[in-house]
Amino acid sequence: MTETWDTIADWYAELLRTGSPLNDFNRDTLLAHLPDELSGHQVLDLGCGEGIITRALAARGATAHGIDPSTRLIEHARTAGTPGPGTVSYAVDDGCVLGTVADHSVDWVTAGLSLNHVPDLDAALTAVRRVLTPRGALVLSVPHPCFEAPHASWTRLADGTHRRVVGDYLAEGFWRSADPRAVRRAGNRHRTLSGYLTALLRHGFTPETVDEPAPTAPVIAHQPRRAGLPPFLLIRARAPHDSPGPAG
Ligand SMILES: C[S@@+](CC[C@H](N)C(=O)[O-])C[C@H]1O[C@@H](n2cnc3c(N)ncnc32)[C@H](O)[C@@H]1O
């Protein structure tokens, strides 16, 4: 069976709800690039999945809208409720289109581990720029391109420690993990570090923060091999000054 985000949706929602230190770490690191207080802020969560980041945005007071192309994941998000004091809403939508989001209507776009799934990064950044208010910002995280390249594996050294083995860093494009327990069995679009940065620059975004966070103690306790490597790359990038304002 060829897995898709819809076919692994129940598994993914269960994984996150029973506690995934890596996904909790991603959420917390991504939110560290946004203000603590988001009351009055409109935030789009692109590729929201079952809503782990959308709910956290609402907990900071945001009016948070999550979109995802997986109908099943959006069903899970809707059943998870709203933590408040902000609000959440959800829609099935494609991050390359953002057809449910009005022009220049959001102050922030978060994209947690999702831009590495969109088939067309230029289309997604065009859509993100369209929906952001002038000087709004995109905060994205992706699996670290250097260490999570296609088919990266682990090797065990004589002293019992592990090292990441990466061989296909320059092989940009779609790949699928053969590991039946891996998230990326549903597929993944690998792009290089320069691929992400030059795409942001091409679309007029200004990177403001770039983060390669050290894994936390809960992540290392869960996956000791990850000690010493940043699992994610995070970038906060400001939309161009000249983004046209809302119509009228
Ligand atoms: C690893 S999950 C991350 C979900 C959520 N942000 C989180 O932190 O748990 C990747 C998500 O990207 C979504 N995705 C796949 N293709 C997409 C697209 N074209 N536009 C937006 N999201 C997409 C998947 O459906 C999935 O929910």
Side-chain angles (χ1 to χ4, degrees):
M1 175 182 181
T2 303
E3 301 275 25
T4 66
W5 274 102
D6 263 331
T7 64
I8 72 164
D10 291 358
W11 170 86
Y12 189 69
E14 180 69 13
L15 175 76
L16 266 57
R17 298 209 180 151
T18 51
S20 163
L22 202 57
N23 289 89
D24 291 349
F25 177 49
N26 175 63
R27 174 200 57 206
D28 296 346
T29 317
L30 190 141
L31 260 74
H33 292 258
L34 287 112
D36 290 340
E37 173 57 56
L38 287 169
S39 297
H41 292 234
Q42 307 285 327
V43 187
L44 170 68
D45 189 23
L46 185 157
C48 63
E50 60 71 61
I52 180 174
I53 293 169
T54 328
R55 292 189 295 278
L57 292 165
R60 288 192 181 186
T63 302
H65 179 61
I67 70 96
D68 200 283
S70 165
T71 306
R72 186 66 183 146
L73 279 169
I74 290 295
E75 285 170 6
H76 279 292
R78 286 185 174 135
T79 58
T82 310
T87 61
V88 294
S89 61
Y90 295 101
V92 175
D93 198 352
D94 181 346
C96 296
V97 180
L98 299 180
T100 63
V101 189
D103 294 0
H104 314 300
S105 61
V106 298
D107 305 297
W108 301 91
V109 174
T110 54
L113 305 178
S114 58
L115 288 178
N116 54 303
H117 293 283
V118 301
D120 184 341
L121 185 59
D122 280 312
L125 292 177
T126 299
V128 167
R129 184 173 166 177
R130 174 181 64 75
V131 302
L132 277 172
T133 54
R135 303 297 291 148
L138 165 67
V139 184
L140 70 90
S141 69
V142 290
H144 199 298
C146 299
F147 310 115
E148 302 300 323
H151 309 292
S153 60
W154 297 96
T155 190
R156 191 169 188 272
L157 304 184
D159 66 1
T161 60
H162 288 80
R163 291 290 179 271
R164 200 69 162 139
V165 180
V166 177
D168 291 323
Y169 174 69
L170 293 172
E172 289 197 311
F174 184 84
W175 68 282
R176 186 185 293 281
S177 171
D179 181 348
R181 296 155 304 170
V183 170
R184 278 171 284 181
R185 67 185 189 272
N188 181 66
R189 312 244 171 205
H190 173 64
R191 298 179 179 95
T192 59
L193 185 54
S194 58
Y196 280 110
L197 286 169
T198 54
L200 287 167
L201 295 171
R202 193 162 59 242
H203 286 267
F205 286 89
T206 304
E208 290 182 335
T209 60
V210 179
D211 194 5
E212 298 174 294
T216 50
V219 170
I220 295 170
H222 192 241
Q223 294 178 285
R225 294 183 298 193
R226 290 197 175 273
L229 292 178
F232 309 120
L233 168 71
L234 294 103
I235 302 172
R236 186 179 72 210
R238 191 67 56 185
H241 284 280
D242 60 355
S243 275

